[in-house]
Amino acid sequence: MAETRYDSRAAADYQAAREVPRDGLDAWRTAVSAAAGLASGMTVLDVGAGTGAFASAFHAWFGVRVLAVEPAAAMRALIPASEEIRALDGKAESLPVPDGCADAAWLGSVIHHLDDLEASARELRRALKPGAPVLIRNSFPGRCDRDLRVRFFPETAGLVDTYPTVDRVCAAFATAGFAQVSLRPLPQRSAPTLTAYADGLRRAADSKLRALPDAAYAQGLARLRAAAEADPTEPATSWMDLLVLT
């Protein structure tokens, strides 16, 4: 799992711009509940936890204990650590947790950052209890047309095309005995309106936007502002896939 270098400012920008507000994640709460059956007393392994948005959400939603593994120190420092949410320095290929300690694993927008999918799958197999699911929230090649960034900054689809495909991920995890259970796109409301979404963009905190030439970014922002003006009440709803393996 490659560690992106973040200083405290970059981590704070990421938290402000990239975390989806919890009230915009209702569909994800429902889907995770159905896929993993989480309940108080269980443990979730959050791999590539970032600034801890989902670690906090899982604890609030289900009463679970969360082991939040994040290699970037500046990001890890922003995880709201407590007795029930432990922030751990580590990566997917070498998880700093005991064997068979978790009832589910969550990989949120991280699969394309993993250096070795097969090694990561082996580590997750080791860390999970028998039959526990792996829940992967990610954009995948050929399946990202409803991503907000792709809608307004269509050049970002080219970066998603470099990510592991669903078939590649499933093949890698099959080497550790995992099989696909389900794959479905889910909505998330990133901001109450497109204007609020545009106002909250932090180009430097988003690898897809950061990779764009300046002209392409300016054109995309103009498209976003025009859409916001045309429909001031449209919520900033994006879609990502949830891939479930056991």
Side-chain angles (χ1 to χ4, degrees):
M1 183 174 179
E3 178 183 347
T4 301
R5 298 295 178 182
Y6 289 94
D7 58 20
S8 58
R9 179 176 179 178
D13 282 346
Y14 179 95
Q15 185 177 48
R18 298 294 306 283
E19 286 190 1
V20 179
R22 195 172 300 169
D23 62 4
L25 292 170
D26 290 347
W28 288 88
R29 177 179 183 174
T30 300
V32 168
S33 179
L38 298 175
S40 180
M42 291 184 175
T43 297
V44 172
L45 180 60
D46 184 357
V47 180
T51 53
F54 275 96
S56 297
F58 282 4
H59 176 60
W61 288 340
F62 308 116
V64 294
R65 178 173 179 256
V66 182
L67 302 176
V69 178
E70 170 55 48
M75 301 282 272
R76 199 167 59 247
L78 296 178
I79 296 173
S82 66
E83 289 186 4
E84 297 302 320
I85 301 175
R86 292 183 57 201
L88 303 172
D89 181 7
K91 57 183 184 177
E93 296 87 349
S94 181
L95 295 168
V97 299
D99 294 356
C101 67
D103 298 279
W106 173 258
L107 287 77
S109 298
V110 73
I111 203 76
H112 51 286
H113 292 301
L114 303 185
D115 294 324
D116 189 328
L117 286 174
E118 286 79 6
S120 299
R122 289 194 298 271
E123 271 292 86
L124 287 165
R125 174 59 75 195
R126 177 190 66 78
L128 288 170
K129 296 176 182 177
V134 176
L135 312 174
I136 298 173
R137 170 182 174 264
N138 224 83
S139 298
F140 291 103
R143 297 180 56 88
C144 65
D145 56 301
R146 289 192 287 179
D147 185 299
L148 269 176
R149 289 162 296 183
V150 172
R151 174 183 171 187
F152 294 109
F153 304 88
E155 297 87 353
T156 59
L159 181 58
V160 178
D161 285 343
T162 69
Y163 293 0
T165 63
V166 171
D167 287 346
R168 170 72 182 103
V169 172
C170 289
F173 275 72
T175 65
F178 291 100
Q180 179 179 333
V181 174
S182 62
L183 172 68
R184 57 183 295 202
L186 292 168
Q188 55 193 34
R189 192 177 68 251
S190 299
T193 65
L194 292 177
T195 295
Y197 177 71
D199 290 344
L201 284 180
R202 302 286 189 277
R203 185 182 180 188
D206 190 311
S207 60
K208 293 184 180 67
L209 300 182
R210 194 168 58 241
L212 294 178
D214 290 345
Y217 179 75
Q219 290 165 0
L221 189 57
R223 290 187 200 100
L224 175 54
R225 293 290 188 189
E229 184 176 353
D231 187 352
T233 64
E234 181 182 350
T237 301
S238 194
W239 292 71
M240 292 182 72
D241 278 321
L242 176 63
L243 172 63
V244 180
L245 310 170
T246 58

